[in-house]
Amino acid sequence: MNRIATSLCLVLCLALPLPALSDSGTPELKISYALTSTPGSAADSSQGDLWTRIRAGFSLPETDPQLTQVHEAWYTSHASYLERAIQRSKPYLFHIAEEVEKRGMPMEIALLPMIESAYNPMALSPQKAAGIWQFIPATGRVYGLEQNAWFDGRRDILQATQAALDYLSKLHGMFGDWELALAAYNCGEGCVARALARSHGRDYASIKLPTETRHYVPKLIAVRNILRNPEHYGLSVDSIANEAYFMQVNLSRPMEARSAARLAEMDLQDFLSLNPAFQRRVIHTDTRGVLLLPADRVETFQFNLHRQGKDKGLQTYDASRGEKASGIAAKFGVTLDWLKEHNPLKLYRGKVAQAQTLMVPVVKRAEAGVKGSGKPAKTAAAGKPAMRMHKVRKGDTLARVAKHYKVKVSELRRWNGDVEALKPGTILSIPDVAG
């Protein structure tokens, strides 16, 4: 597989601030979003089919017609494979074509994920190359792709596309030829440089390359030929709108993928197909929280998020070494399975094997007591005592809880808001009168 370089770079061309999400005027979750097309680009004025735009940009030569015909025959005899790949490309193809066009590159490059991964962002090669552009881990790390237990930037549609085109541009600068650049994308720049040094020829057709690489460009040209004139091959290709499919949304705190999909009123799998880089179904990275949504779902997402209020979502929790995982789960009203699904939890005999930061639900009226370590939180604020926590059980009342902890009901109201009807699972902050 190819050895791809990347740099972390997102296209933020049109930023639209959203209103505050709480009545207090202090948003609990700030959102900004952006179209991935640039104002004034062809996308703003062009109408109709994206395929028409892509076909107009084809420019690569066909240097090995015989080998190209072999791959044309394979694709036409495996029409269902081609159809599935085209279907998967629909959310991504406008963005890719837009970026290719901006750089003045041959539009065939927008089809390169067809032969790399069939536009499957979850594709993983035996060499551990991942994503639609098939990055290997080492090269991704060298060029700054974030890869950890939360996020794999090799699968991110925006970052991976930017990286692949950066790398191809670099290779074209090295070899001065797009076919050689594509060959180097497949087998590495050193591979092509050595092939050129051994040969009297100076182009793709005249140098000796590994078998896979020798087939690589003809395979791309075969896909190009079929999509340029599908009727000639007895196929039909559905049109794709020549407009941005998705928009980018920046979140100021983590969020469950299920929650984000529900707020956007989307199927979870459709949501994940736009956000495949998140490893734990949590919209969270070490540097930022960014998700993609279909352009026609952003307003719905914003409205539902505002209506939901500020008490939903996720927060960080600093788990200590030796802390019982089941205790952490109970503290935040989730199951141990939930904790494992949403965190790269490392356990030894049911206890946290090493200190680590976890994602947990935001707990109502108890942030002072649970934020950070989960132990009673002391504060520098004058007059505020240390806090304990109490998880409300069925049948609990304020009077019963106050009596159990030997505090006044008025103190419970003071530290937990004006609560009356207690709901099971709610976490109360209890002032530690001995503290």
Side-chain angles (χ1 to χ4, degrees):
M1 284 293 177
N2 50 303
R3 297 164 172 80
I4 304 180
T6 186
S7 60
L8 289 172
C9 181
L10 295 176
V11 182
L12 300 174
C13 303
L14 176 62
L16 302 175
L18 302 188
L21 301 179
S22 68
D23 295 334
S24 67
T26 303
E28 193 68 15
L29 181 57
K30 297 178 181 177
I31 305 177
S32 62
Y33 55 95
L35 284 169
T36 58
S37 58
T38 305
S41 71
D44 294 316
S45 57
S46 297
Q47 300 295 324
D49 188 10
L50 178 60
W51 291 118
T52 301
R53 181 181 178 188
I54 289 174
R55 289 165 187 146
F58 289 155
S59 62
L60 289 180
E62 189 169 327
T63 54
D64 195 334
Q66 187 174 359
L67 202 51
T68 297
Q69 289 171 13
V70 170
H71 293 292
E72 289 173 351
W74 189 91
Y75 281 113
T76 53
S77 65
H78 295 79
S80 60
Y81 173 91
L82 196 60
E83 288 168 4
R84 286 194 301 272
I86 291 171
Q87 185 66 28
R88 276 196 296 263
S89 77
K90 289 182 177 180
Y92 321 130
L93 195 55
F94 175 88
H95 174 72
I96 297 171
E98 185 92 343
E99 294 303 304
V100 168
E101 188 176 81
K102 285 177 186 176
R103 295 168 180 253
M105 303 168 88
M107 195 56 83
E108 285 90 345
I109 289 172
L111 306 178
L112 197 58
M114 181 75 76
I115 64 173
E116 283 288 340
S117 64
Y119 293 96
N120 179 5
M122 302 310 296
L124 184 67
S125 78
Q127 292 75 33
K128 305 302 180 184
I132 65 172
W133 296 96
Q134 291 289 278
F135 289 87
I136 62 171
T139 307
R141 285 190 291 270
V142 168
Y143 288 90
L145 267 182
E146 191 175 359
Q147 297 170 64
N148 55 44
W150 294 108
F151 184 83
D152 188 344
R154 298 175 302 156
R155 301 189 189 279
D156 184 85
I157 302 305
L158 298 182
Q159 294 179 21
T161 298
Q162 186 79 14
L165 301 188
D166 283 348
Y167 187 58
L168 282 162
S169 294
K170 173 191 171 184
L171 293 171
H172 183 257
M174 290 177 63
F175 298 110
D177 179 272
W178 281 115
E179 290 179 297
L180 291 177
L182 288 163
Y185 185 92
N186 177 253
C187 72
E189 53 207 66
C191 166
V192 172
R194 289 189 295 272
L196 286 169
R198 291 193 300 264
S199 172
H200 296 296
R202 302 299 299 171
D203 58 28
Y204 180 83
S206 61
I207 62 175
K208 187 174 181 179
L209 292 165
T211 300
E212 180 186 332
T213 307
R214 168 58 57 203
H215 284 254
Y216 190 74
V217 174
K219 190 183 294 186
L220 177 62
I221 298 303
V223 170
R224 185 273 310 274
N225 291 348
I226 292 170
L227 291 176
R228 181 164 58 186
N229 188 9
E231 294 81 7
H232 175 75
Y233 297 89
L235 302 174
S236 62
V237 176
D238 292 338
S239 64
I240 300 176
N242 186 28
E243 61 187 21
Y245 181 87
F246 56 74
M247 298 174 73
Q248 180 178 308
V249 177
N250 300 318
L251 304 179
S252 63
R253 77 176 188 204
M255 176 179 285
E256 280 187 84
R258 287 192 193 94
S259 296
R262 185 175 63 253
L263 292 173
E265 298 180 11
M266 293 178 64
D267 176 79
L268 178 60
Q269 292 307 313
D270 291 340
F271 175 85
L272 292 174
S273 72
L274 281 177
N275 300 279
F278 297 100
Q279 304 273 64
R280 295 286 168 173
R281 295 195 175 185
V282 172
I283 310 304
H284 168 70
T285 72
D286 288 343
T287 55
R288 63 190 301 175
V290 177
L291 60 84
L292 299 182
L293 292 175
D296 62 357
R297 295 284 91 196
V298 171
E299 187 175 350
T300 299
F301 178 85
Q302 178 187 1
F303 174 80
N304 287 335
L305 183 63
H306 177 73
R307 186 175 62 178
Q308 171 183 271
K310 64 182 182 180
D311 291 325
K312 302 290 185 180
L314 301 177
Q315 62 182 350
T316 59
Y317 173 78
D318 297 328
S320 303
R321 181 182 177 185
E323 194 171 357
K324 284 188 176 181
S326 59
I328 298 172
K331 183 179 296 184
F332 293 96
V334 296
T335 65
L336 183 57
D337 286 342
W338 186 99
L339 205 63
K340 291 177 179 178
E341 180 183 5
H342 292 79
N343 292 278
L345 194 58
K346 298 177 180 178
L347 301 179
Y348 177 71
R349 294 183 177 178
K351 297 180 179 180
V352 177
Q354 61 186 50
Q356 64 181 113
T357 299
L358 304 178
M359 289 294 139
V360 295
V362 171
V363 180
K364 294 183 179 180
R365 306 181 183 91
E367 288 184 310
V370 301
K371 213 168 190 178
S373 68
K375 299 176 182 178
K378 297 185 182 291
T379 176
K384 184 170 182 177
M387 291 289 171
R388 293 167 291 175
M389 291 178 297
H390 173 81
K391 184 176 180 180
V392 175
R393 301 179 181 88
K394 186 176 180 180
D396 276 353
T397 64
L398 283 178
R400 181 177 296 178
V401 174
K403 182 178 180 180
H404 177 79
Y405 288 100
K406 299 178 181 178
V407 298
K408 295 179 180 180
V409 171
S410 60
E411 287 293 291
L412 292 181
R413 290 197 178 102
R414 177 186 177 191
W415 298 113
N416 296 279
D418 191 15
V419 292
E420 287 300 336
L422 299 183
K423 295 180 179 179
T426 299
I427 305 298
L428 296 178
S429 295
I430 311 295
D432 186 352
V433 294

